[in-house]
Amino acid sequence: MSSNEIVVPGEELAVIEEFSPSLGAYSDEKGFVRSSLVGMVLKDLINKIVKVNPVTTRYSFPSVKDIVIGYVSFLKGEIAMVNIVKDGNFKPLTGQLAGFLHISQIGTEGRHINEYIAPGDLIRARVISSENPFQLSIKHSSLGVILASCSQCGAILKKEGDKLICPKCGNIEKRKIASGYINLKWSY
Ligand SMILES: [Zn+2]
C-alpha cells in the first residue's frame, strides 16, 4: 500500500516492523497495520509512521428549485430518464443522481415526449422533488435542451430560430430548446 491510495476500514497498510500506526490506523495482534476509516493513506517514510486522512464526502445533492444539467438516457412512455451530471453552474455533483422528466413538465401541448427531447440530449432542468430519482421540469424558457445531436448523422445540431438544424446533413429536428442552447462554432 503506497501513499495517496484510498483505503477502507480494516485494509492492510503495512506491517508493524515497517510503519507505526498513527491517526486513522491501528495494528492488529498479528502485526499488521490497518486502516480504521475510509481515507487516503499517508506514509511518512522518514519517521516510519502511517496515517489515514479521512475522505470527507460532501454529497452535493440538488435541492428543490435547483437548476441541474443532465443527459437524457432514454425515453419510456411519457417519461424521459436523465443522468444528472452537473449543477446549474456546470460544477459536478457527487454521486449517481437520476432524474426523470414527465411530459407534463415540458410545458407544451404535445402528446409524445419524443417531439421535445431525445436520448443523448443535454438538458438544463429544474429539480421539483427532493428525492433521488429527482423529478425535473423544463417548463421555463431558460430550461430544456441545451445541446443535441442529429439523429441521422450524429453531428451537433445548431440552433437557428426555433429549430435545430444539422450543419452536416441539413436534417431539421424539433426540441424543447432552452434559451441558452449552446451553439458550437464549427463547420463541416
Ligand atoms: Zn445530420
Side-chain angles (χ1 to χ4, degrees):
M1 188 62 60
S2 52
S3 281
N4 298 326
E5 282 191 58
I6 300 291
V7 291
V8 295
E11 196 163 343
E12 186 187 325
L13 305 173
V15 290
I16 194 81
E17 289 84 4
E18 298 174 318
F19 288 93
S20 300
S22 179
L23 216 68
Y26 66 94
S27 59
D28 67 13
E29 66 277 12
K30 289 180 179 161
F32 291 105
V33 178
R34 297 182 184 279
S35 177
S36 62
L37 42 81
V38 177
M40 191 182 280
V41 179
L42 281 177
K43 281 184 172 170
D44 180 341
L45 300 173
I46 294 161
N47 299 306
K48 303 287 178 197
I49 56 172
V50 59
K51 67 175 187 173
V52 180
N53 276 345
V55 171
T56 47
T57 43
R58 279 178 55 227
Y59 285 104
S60 47
F61 270 34
S63 310
V64 174
K65 294 186 180 174
D66 277 0
I67 301 297
V68 291
I69 309 290
Y71 283 99
V72 177
S73 52
F74 61 90
L75 308 179
K76 193 173 185 204
E78 299 184 312
I79 281 177
M81 287 305 296
V82 178
N83 291 327
I84 299 171
V85 291
K86 306 274 167 108
D87 70 12
N89 299 316
F90 286 89
K91 291 203 181 99
L93 292 160
T94 56
Q96 289 278 325
L97 302 181
F100 65 94
L101 178 68
H102 186 262
I103 191 164
S104 64
Q105 294 301 330
I106 291 177
T108 53
E109 300 292 303
R111 286 159 191 242
H112 300 289
I113 200 160
N114 63 8
E115 295 171 49
Y116 303 105
I117 205 157
D121 287 355
L122 190 64
I123 66 165
R124 176 184 284 122
R126 185 179 299 281
V127 173
I128 57 170
S129 76
S130 57
E131 277 169 31
N132 195 4
F134 298 91
Q135 190 174 4
L136 303 174
S137 169
I138 56 168
K139 276 185 177 175
H140 194 267
S141 63
S142 66
L143 306 175
V145 175
I146 54 171
L147 198 65
S149 57
C150 176
S151 62
Q152 303 296 314
C153 74
I156 300 291
L157 298 168
K158 271 188 92 161
K159 179 174 179 273
E160 286 186 20
D162 60 351
K163 293 193 186 80
L164 292 179
I165 298 173
C166 177
K168 198 173 175 185
C169 74
N171 184 35
I172 297 174
E173 301 204 11
K174 198 181 167 202
R175 297 287 199 282
K176 197 291 187 182
I177 308 168
S179 53
Y181 187 85
I182 303 163
N183 257 349
L184 298 175
K185 290 186 172 47
W186 66 39
S187 55
Y188 290 92

